Amino acid sequence: MSHSTVPRGRAQASTQAKDGAAPSAEESGAESVTSAKSGSGRPRWLGRLGWLSGRFGRSGKGKGDGLSGKVSLGIRLRRDRTLVLMTVPAILLILVFNYIPVLGNIVAFQDYDPYLSDNGFVAMLQSPWVGFEQFDRVFADSEFWHAVQNTFVLFFLQLVLFFPIPILLALLINSVLRPRVRAMAQAIMYLPHFFSWVLVVTVFQQIFGGAGVIAQTLADHGHTGFDLMTDPESFKYLVTLQSVWKDAGWGIIVFLAALSSVSNDLYEAAAMDGANRWRRMWHITLPALRPVIALLLVLRVGDALTVGFEQLLLQRQAVGPDASEVLDTYVWWNGIRNQDFSYAAAAGLIKGIVGLTLVLVANKVAHLMGEQGVYKK
């Protein structure tokens, strides 16, 4: 009778391992760790998170899914209630001053008479309906088309002469190395933004008017007849110059914020490759500004029919309505001064529809150029 030299316990463990009946100690430990995570191979805490999300999701309107990241509306509102409360005042302002007045466009389809009742809403309900009669009057009015022509002329001038200037000034300030000089230049440039249009027109009157500095200097040297503020031919350029002086510095802030996100490593790598300052600006700086430029251009096109109501109204008497009449002043003159509210509402509604169409078209062009625009596709 022979005896094996292999111990009995080891022989059984070896036989079981060969037959696949029981794992080794290391395999048993690995299985215990895996089973501690979950039966499907994911950690136990992830399974609990999914269970809690699903449980709380069922208590709301929708079901939560811990794996897909979906959370019910009730949970999101409770989680972000502080942020929601912070946005309530802004939402109320938009609702009161932007959306509720839209209901007043109903008077464009009426012969509105505010004297039918002491309450304006009751007078609006009691005014007779005339359909599209007010729109027919607007389209048949030659003064309306003259205001449209002046509006688009001023828009194209400001788009060509005014829109690029904040970009150029931002590039210029960004190239200044000394922070103190940069901050001082930026403060001087955007300070006029806080001036009212009354002050801006007064300053230009003191410089370019008939009794201004330039006219007095020319008179001292034997020249007379200089008065840019009352010249209808040059009025559109004067208005553009006023807009540049007042608002160009404020537009620098947006482009400087975009430039601050550009990494200095890109400029250093381009300089090591031999790119000069113009090459770095063309291939690094301008591509970084392109999304912001596209967004502001879309917004500017959508605002094409609003070229400055207060600015033009203040100078209307000096140059006459032929040179200064735009859609905003046309609507104000007919609606407020002449009290033809239905006619002015029809003209304003046309302006709003055209502006919305321009925004949609410009945003589509931005999408075709590969930019996001106002909203994504």
Side-chain angles (χ1 to χ4, degrees):
M1 182 175 176
S2 62
H3 296 279
S4 173
T5 58
V6 180
R8 182 181 182 88
R10 292 185 180 180
Q12 290 179 354
S14 175
T15 304
Q16 291 175 355
K18 291 180 181 179
D19 297 339
S24 61
E26 292 81 358
E27 295 173 350
S28 177
E31 281 186 0
S32 63
V33 173
T34 304
S35 62
K37 292 181 178 179
S38 67
S40 60
R42 60 180 180 177
R44 181 179 296 174
W45 62 268
L46 184 59
R48 290 179 177 178
L49 180 62
W51 178 80
L52 290 173
S53 178
R55 182 176 180 84
F56 284 103
R58 284 191 295 270
S59 64
K61 292 185 179 181
K63 292 184 178 181
D65 188 354
L67 297 178
S68 61
K70 296 180 179 179
V71 184
S72 66
L73 179 60
I75 293 179
R76 291 200 303 268
L77 290 177
R78 289 194 297 269
R79 180 189 61 192
D80 302 329
R81 59 182 178 272
T82 304
L83 298 176
V84 173
L85 291 176
M86 291 175 61
T87 60
V88 167
I91 294 175
L92 291 178
L93 286 176
I94 294 175
L95 183 65
V96 172
F97 292 101
N98 292 89
Y99 285 97
I100 293 180
V102 172
L103 300 176
N105 286 323
I106 194 175
V107 302
F109 304 92
Q110 297 176 333
D111 186 8
Y112 178 68
D113 187 2
Y115 302 104
L116 292 177
S117 175
D118 295 336
N119 192 328
F121 291 101
V122 176
M124 186 172 59
L125 296 176
Q126 295 178 353
S127 298
W129 288 85
V130 295
F132 292 95
E133 179 181 337
Q134 305 294 344
F135 294 92
D136 295 335
R137 291 178 55 199
V138 171
F139 289 126
D141 191 356
S142 60
E143 295 182 359
F144 169 77
W145 294 109
H146 181 70
V148 171
Q149 180 182 354
N150 286 343
T151 302
F152 278 103
V153 168
L154 289 176
F155 163 68
F156 284 115
L157 278 177
Q158 294 184 7
L159 186 65
V160 175
L161 301 178
F162 172 54
F163 186 78
I165 290 180
I167 304 174
L168 298 177
L169 291 177
L171 295 176
L172 179 63
I173 293 178
N174 190 65
S175 63
V176 177
L177 298 179
R178 299 183 62 180
R180 182 174 297 179
V181 177
R182 182 187 305 177
M184 184 179 299
Q186 186 176 353
I188 293 174
M189 288 180 183
Y190 72 71
L191 182 61
H193 174 78
F194 301 100
F195 297 162
S196 66
W197 276 115
V198 176
L199 181 58
V200 172
V201 173
T202 303
V203 170
F204 272 76
Q205 179 68 37
Q206 296 299 321
I207 298 175
F208 301 103
V213 176
I214 297 178
Q216 293 296 329
T217 304
L218 293 176
D220 294 340
H221 292 79
H223 301 282
T224 57
F226 179 84
D227 190 0
L228 189 63
M229 299 297 294
T230 58
D231 185 10
E233 297 296 329
S234 59
F235 177 72
K236 50 183 176 291
Y237 302 103
L238 177 66
V239 171
T240 304
L241 182 61
Q242 293 171 353
S243 300
V244 170
W245 184 75
K246 185 177 188 297
D247 291 327
W250 182 258
I252 297 174
I253 297 177
V254 179
F255 296 106
L256 286 178
L259 290 175
S260 64
S261 63
V262 182
S263 176
N264 290 328
D265 297 338
L266 297 176
Y267 293 104
E268 294 175 359
M272 293 180 63
D273 290 338
N276 56 20
R277 176 174 295 183
W278 296 106
R279 287 289 183 180
R280 294 196 296 269
M281 183 186 68
W282 183 261
H283 294 286
I284 298 177
T285 306
L286 290 180
L289 290 178
R290 193 174 70 174
V292 181
I293 294 174
L295 174 61
L296 294 181
L297 188 59
V298 170
L299 295 177
R300 187 68 190 92
V301 170
D303 205 28
L305 303 183
T306 304
V307 290
F309 167 73
E310 184 180 359
Q311 176 190 10
L312 297 172
L313 188 64
L314 289 171
Q315 304 174 83
R316 177 188 176 96
Q317 186 175 359
V319 297
D322 290 338
S324 63
E325 191 77 291
V326 294
L327 281 176
D328 281 341
T329 58
Y330 177 81
V331 171
W332 175 84
W333 192 266
N334 287 277
I336 304 299
R337 292 296 298 269
N338 298 337
Q339 296 189 358
D340 195 351
F341 299 103
S342 296
Y343 181 83
L349 187 58
I350 293 173
K351 173 195 168 184
I353 294 174
V354 174
L356 176 61
T357 304
L358 291 176
V359 169
L360 296 177
V361 172
N363 198 73
K364 182 63 177 179
V365 174
H367 288 169
L368 295 177
M369 295 176 62
E371 300 297 336
Q372 178 177 340
V374 180
Y375 56 86
K376 295 182 179 180
K377 295 181 180 179

